[in-house]
Amino acid sequence: MGPHPAVAEVRRAVRTSLADLPPGALVLVACSGGPDSLALAAALGFVAPRAGLRAGLVTVDHGLQEGSAERAERIAALAPDLGLSPARVLRVNVGSEGGPEAAARRARYAALDRAAAEEDAAAVLLGHTRDDQAETVLLRLARGSGTRSLSAMAEVSGVYRRPLLAIPRRITETACAALGLTPWDDPHNHDVRFTRVRVRRRLLPLLERELGPGIAEALARTARQCREDADALDEWAERAYLAALSPVLKRVEAEVGEPVAGRAHAVPGAEGARPAEPAGDGATGFADGETASAPGPVGLAVPRLEELPAAVRRRVLRRAAVTAGSPAGALSAKHLTEAERLITEWHGQRRVDLPGGVTVERRYGTLIVARAHP
């Protein structure tokens, strides 16, 4: 007799997610003890040895609730029974910048980044489900986000993988019950002070009642379509960036007195640093987690930019701003719209200031994006 259908579905999702990894690679699962990550951990423990992979568990103690340290130790202690080794507890200090949810997320991902590097893990599995994806889309719709942000969470983002994005939460809960696992019910998941909890407990059920069932599935489908569109636009914008850069490299180098950032500073296409959360408001721009390896001034030929659709042109501007040293997380649609006016509504206006001390100026048919000199 085979496994329960819910268990089989989660295992199949994990097997598919890991199919490209080489034999002997280490895969870590981030487990909070909730039904999603617990079902994921159990599936990894079953799938990994059969796929010739090693599998371990990490759990993050945010220190935000009484007894969190003991709870984290109990979660780590489950690892041997699930076939997972090593098992590590990652203790973090959560700040306050950006609110409690954002601060906890930053601390959690920083700890997971370090653990993946220290263990030389090929992948870290995260337990986000289709319901989480739907909640993320609604949260970003409320912010007035663009295509990249509405694409929400990627199945693969650098070292991070989310095998359960197509699976509803009820399947993970059923899988845990079928395996005799008792998930931890985090009190924070019921605290309506948190925006995501209000979306989960109030908004999504209201939409289901008023618009009919299948809202979460439809929102997750929207995210997939937005990601495909955003990827295509980003690819177009990268080609346009290089085409606009080529004619003016030497001229701008002479102007600013230093090498210009160009082809050697490509922005990664994956959401390496923070896979679940696009930089800034996500209204425009390249893939999440973008960075410039060595910031420097950028020069772009205005005629090349004038012929581009607005969605592509603003992506090119964002690419140039990040390459010049502007923090991706601080760049907003408003910043890029102001910079775009130097191309589309040019009448001799002064430079545009961007975050990070970067400025955008138009000189003799060239858009120069560079840090301002004192």
Side-chain angles (χ1 to χ4, degrees):
M1 182 176 179
H4 188 281
V7 175
E9 186 170 353
V10 176
R11 288 175 178 174
R12 184 166 52 250
V14 171
R15 190 179 302 112
T16 300
S17 179
L18 303 181
D20 64 320
L21 295 182
L26 173 64
V27 180
L28 299 176
V29 58
C31 184
S32 67
D36 303 335
S37 61
L38 192 57
L40 181 61
L44 176 63
F46 179 87
V47 169
R50 291 164 176 79
L53 302 171
R54 296 177 295 128
L57 178 148
V58 291
T59 186
V60 179
D61 174 19
H62 297 85
L64 297 177
Q65 300 177 38
E66 185 177 350
S68 64
E70 293 80 4
R71 188 178 307 109
E73 292 294 345
R74 288 198 297 271
I75 294 169
L78 292 173
D81 292 337
L82 297 176
L84 302 171
S85 179
R88 292 181 55 181
V89 175
L90 311 177
R91 306 194 190 281
V92 300
N93 294 316
V94 178
S96 58
E97 183 180 354
E101 292 171 282
R105 183 170 55 248
R106 279 194 302 273
R108 178 168 60 254
Y109 277 112
L112 293 174
D113 286 346
R114 289 193 298 272
E118 291 166 0
E119 299 290 345
D120 194 25
V124 178
L125 303 190
L126 304 176
H128 298 115
T129 65
R130 188 174 72 189
D131 300 80
D132 295 306
Q133 186 78 310
E135 294 160 12
T136 301
V137 173
L138 285 175
L139 287 167
R140 294 182 181 173
L141 276 171
R143 292 209 307 251
S145 298
T147 307
R148 171 57 65 189
S149 187
L150 293 181
S151 66
M153 296 179 285
E155 292 181 3
V156 179
S157 309
V159 73
Y160 295 101
R161 302 187 180 207
R162 297 179 175 86
L164 308 183
L165 275 187
I167 292 179
R169 187 173 293 127
R170 59 180 173 78
I171 294 295
T172 65
E173 293 169 344
T174 302
C176 285
L179 292 169
L181 299 172
T182 304
W184 174 55
D185 187 13
D186 186 350
H188 281 174
N189 288 335
H190 303 274
D191 191 340
V192 294
R193 291 178 300 172
F194 299 113
T195 307
R196 185 175 286 272
V197 173
R198 294 197 297 274
V199 170
R200 179 177 302 172
R201 300 284 174 179
R202 296 176 178 175
L203 182 55
L204 269 173
L206 175 64
L207 291 174
E208 292 275 357
R209 288 196 302 271
E210 297 297 326
L211 301 179
I215 294 297
E217 182 179 3
L219 289 168
R221 187 166 59 248
T222 296
R224 287 195 301 272
Q225 293 168 347
C226 284
R227 182 164 295 277
E228 291 172 357
D229 291 348
D231 287 346
L233 287 169
D234 286 350
E235 184 179 345
W236 183 358
E238 175 68 6
R239 293 196 302 268
Y241 172 85
L242 295 176
L245 183 76
S246 298
V248 296
L249 279 172
K250 297 301 181 184
R251 187 192 316 159
V252 178
E253 286 177 351
E255 182 87 23
V256 300
E258 60 178 298
V260 172
R263 293 172 179 78
H265 302 103
V267 175
E271 302 167 298
R274 295 291 176 269
E277 304 297 329
D281 64 3
T284 58
F286 282 65
D288 319 334
E290 59 192 351
T291 57
S293 59
V298 174
L300 300 169
V302 170
R304 296 287 188 123
L305 301 176
E306 288 174 330
E307 64 190 21
L308 296 172
V312 177
R313 183 166 50 236
R314 285 194 286 270
R315 280 170 161 79
V316 172
L317 291 174
R318 183 179 182 89
R319 165 76 153 87
V322 171
T323 303
S326 191
L331 277 170
S332 69
K334 183 178 180 180
H335 291 128
L336 299 174
T337 298
E338 288 300 313
E340 188 180 26
R341 290 196 177 112
L342 296 176
I343 304 163
T344 60
E345 301 175 28
W346 172 245
H347 49 77
Q349 62 263 47
R350 298 182 59 189
R351 72 187 192 188
V352 172
D353 294 322
L354 301 180
V358 171
T359 63
V360 187
E361 296 182 78
R362 177 168 171 164
R363 303 181 197 170
Y364 306 106
T366 299
L367 205 69
I368 297 176
V369 189
R371 289 192 186 275
H373 291 289

